[in-house]
Amino acid sequence: MSTAPPIAIVSAMHEELAALLAAMPDERRMRVAGRDFWVGHLQEQPIVAVLSRIGKVAAATTATVLLERFRARAIVFTGVAGGLGPGVAVGDVVVATRLLQHDLDASPIFPRYEVPLTGHARFAADTVISDALATVARELLRDPVRLLGQQVVDDFGLAAPKLHRGLLVSGDRFVSTAEESAVLRRDLPDALAVEMEGAAVAQVCHDYGVPFAAVRAISDRADDAAHADFTRFVSAVASRYSLALIEAWLRTLPAAA
Ligand code: SAH
């Protein structure tokens, strides 16, 4: 087995990463900052997998530990998100091209959403990793029964899940009313989906010059039904999406040195 720097795979919640952790055969647990970092291999690539916990600060702390302590060579965030864009439905997948913190506002000193002193509001995801994730996601979504099983496809009505690429927005709020999501859509019309961690990790990776990508399955529409939809999706489906997407992506990478 190699000693190459690992790729970090991060989710906020156990339900999102459970299948992937179960698939890592030789993992070793290291506890740092109250989190369990699982060091091992998947698809013969060196991996460190970790649950960040929910929210931007928890995600940023986790990312910093991954970079400083584990020397991660890239960070990929995977999990679920609420759909905002028209046609971004439960069961679809979003691969981020850019990420923005929708609750960051130091105006009028800095433009709304801009991270002070960086000059950026929208942090770019790594194009190579994101392109590869999009390619494997498109392929997997072509056969949802194979990906998720007939029962899940029927229960969630996931007959024709789609792949979307574009802006992913993050903030320290579970968006769970139609009113709130309408405000987000009005203020950020190109936002495809909302979650609570991605843009924070993108900012940390930007500071360190390390590639970052995010791929999220849509669990809910960030509306009045979001809480019920989210809970159902997360317990039944989320972890299958993460494992299938990440494994398929890792298979596209050259063997680790
Ligand atoms: N455990 C709580 C809420 C979890 S927060 C509950 O059961 O209600 C939701 C998690 O999923 C976050 O990690 C976030 O990144 C993602 N997420 C999914 N849908 C979301 C939405 N509508 N708004 C914000 N985050 C969402």
Side-chain angles (χ1 to χ4, degrees), residues 12 54 80-82 173-175 195-197 216 219-220 227 230:
I54 295 165
V80 299
R173 206 162 69 225
F174 181 64
V175 181
E195 38 84 311
M196 301 177 67
E197 297 86 15
R216 297 265 189 174
S219 54
D220 60 86
H227 187 254
F230 164 85

Side-chain angles (χ1 to χ4, degrees), residues 11-13 15-16 52-55 77 79-84 102 169-177 184 194-198 216-223 226-227 230-231 234:
S11 289
M13 296 177 300
E15 293 90 330
E16 296 170 311
S52 65
R53 303 180 184 162
I54 295 165
F77 210 107
V80 299
L84 287 177
H102 68 74
V169 300
S170 312
D172 285 320
R173 206 162 69 225
F174 181 64
V175 181
S176 55
T177 65
L184 280 176
V194 59
E195 38 84 311
M196 301 177 67
E197 297 86 15
R216 297 265 189 174
I218 300 302
S219 54
D220 60 86
R221 277 289 300 172
D223 56 11
H227 187 254
F230 164 85
T231 306
V234 152

